[in-house]
Amino acid sequence: MRKKIIAGNWKMNYCVNKAEEFVSQIKDTINTDEVDVVICPNFVSLDRISDLIDGTNIKLGAQNVFYEDKGAYTGETSVNMLAAVGVNYCIVGHSERRQYFNETNEIVNKKAKKLLEKDISPIVCVGETLEEREESKMFEVVEKQVKESLNEIDKNSIENKVVIAYEPIWAIGTGKTATAEQANEMCKYIRDVISKMYDEDTAQKVRIQYGGSVKPSNANEILNMSDIDGALVGGASLTNDFVAIVNY
Ligand code: PGA
């Protein structure tokens, strides 16, 4: 049985004081062991949020990382730096990073491997554009992203550490959600790709989230689909809606 994982991606929102205030306000209501709950604030707030959720079941996530260990990389953050403040998960290859910061599958792969070296779980994002869906290229596009982003990652990590997030770009921040059937169809397809890359047993163990305009009104239906193992939540993770989603 795959445990659901619900992660809140705050993106570039909330300064540290507001971040602390919000987490203090909701933490008791999202502190559960029925699902894995992850909060992904901005880098600047990680340390303080880490202290705040210490002793709860809530996990800490980062939104990005760099794949080198240290050195002259102005503005970048290493995996060791994340580990030192208690980060358990890190989003890699979010479509906004692919779009605005030119992240490729190869870069995403390097980041995911580096995170695994330090025992941090990568949440690897994949998803097609509206144009690609309209041209019926979505399966081809997502398959390539999955294969290249997970290149040379061992079976054990896929089963126990890696989380894949299917986020159709046309559904992110637009209020347009994929139907639960569309989301499930792609998550199932990703599972088939994993089965071909590894084996069926691994495919049954890997956790695959859906992301893109998840809100309290659609969370239950989405999270009850056969191949969807959780949600990556953007906008709705900044409000009490996140509590409702976690308690779907
Ligand atoms: P959204 O964002 O929930 O605001 O659509 C999802 C995401 O980008 O992870």
Side-chain angles (χ1 to χ4, degrees):
M1 203 29 199
R2 298 180 296 264
K3 191 173 185 184
K4 304 269 193 228
I5 171 164
I6 300 179
N9 172 14
W10 288 5
K11 309 192 181 183
M12 199 171 70
N13 292 292
Y14 288 168
C15 294
V16 63
N17 288 347
K18 174 70 193 170
E20 278 188 311
E21 185 190 312
F22 178 55
V23 173
S24 307
Q25 180 206 319
I26 65 166
K27 78 172 180 176
D28 291 341
T29 52
I30 59 169
N31 183 17
T32 169
D33 59 8
E34 281 175 38
V35 298
D36 285 332
V37 178
V38 187
I39 293 180
C40 308
N42 172 271
F43 281 133
V44 176
S45 301
L46 284 172
D47 196 20
R48 300 260 284 270
I49 299 302
S50 182
D51 286 346
L52 203 53
I53 60 178
D54 194 30
T56 71
N57 293 314
I58 305 164
K59 303 284 192 300
L60 187 64
Q63 298 174 16
N64 185 29
V65 69
F66 191 49
Y67 52 74
E68 293 293 347
D69 288 323
K70 62 177 174 143
Y73 301 103
T74 302
E76 293 299 324
T77 303
S78 73
V79 167
N80 271 335
M81 292 168 182
L82 297 185
V85 294
V87 165
N88 316 99
Y89 290 86
C90 180
I91 301 170
V92 287
H94 189 279
S95 63
E96 286 148 18
R97 297 219 50 94
R98 293 177 185 263
Q99 185 183 348
Y100 305 127
F101 304 97
N102 303 318
E103 282 195 13
T104 60
N105 293 331
E106 195 189 344
I107 294 172
V108 174
N109 180 244
K110 283 187 183 180
K111 291 182 173 186
K113 284 184 189 157
K114 188 51 81 174
L115 287 162
L116 289 166
E117 275 178 29
K118 295 287 169 207
D119 215 30
I120 296 177
S121 290
I123 300 179
V124 178
C125 303
V126 296
E128 80 284 358
T129 62
L130 183 58
E131 199 184 354
E132 287 160 348
R133 179 161 280 266
E134 283 174 350
E135 290 171 2
S136 296
K137 289 189 185 145
M138 64 275 191
F139 294 113
E140 188 188 315
V141 168
V142 170
E143 178 163 353
K144 185 169 159 43
Q145 289 174 333
V146 170
K147 284 186 172 159
E148 294 182 1
S149 303
L150 301 182
N151 185 35
E152 288 177 349
I153 292 181
D154 65 280
K155 178 178 153 73
N156 186 43
S157 299
I158 299 290
E159 292 178 4
N160 300 305
K161 284 271 156 193
V162 172
V163 177
I164 301 171
Y166 167 56
E167 299 207 302
I169 295 168
W170 47 273
I172 296 178
T174 57
K176 250 195 208 175
T177 330
T179 63
E181 288 73 23
Q182 280 173 325
N184 196 51
E185 181 184 38
M186 185 60 85
C187 291
K188 198 165 178 353
Y189 186 79
I190 293 170
R191 209 174 293 288
D192 289 343
V193 173
I194 297 294
S195 176
K196 278 187 260 159
M197 289 173 74
Y198 299 88
D199 54 42
E200 186 52 24
D201 190 45
T202 303
Q204 288 309 319
K205 287 182 179 151
V206 66
R207 292 194 290 181
I208 307 174
Q209 296 175 307
Y210 166 77
S213 299
V214 174
K215 40 192 178 245
S217 59
N218 59 27
N220 192 276
E221 190 188 6
I222 288 169
L223 290 164
N224 276 307
M225 299 305 283
S226 62
D227 284 274
I228 302 179
D229 308 316
L232 184 53
V233 186
S237 71
L238 295 165
T239 69
N240 281 327
D241 281 355
F242 191 60
V243 176
I245 294 170
V246 167
N247 295 297
Y248 70 97

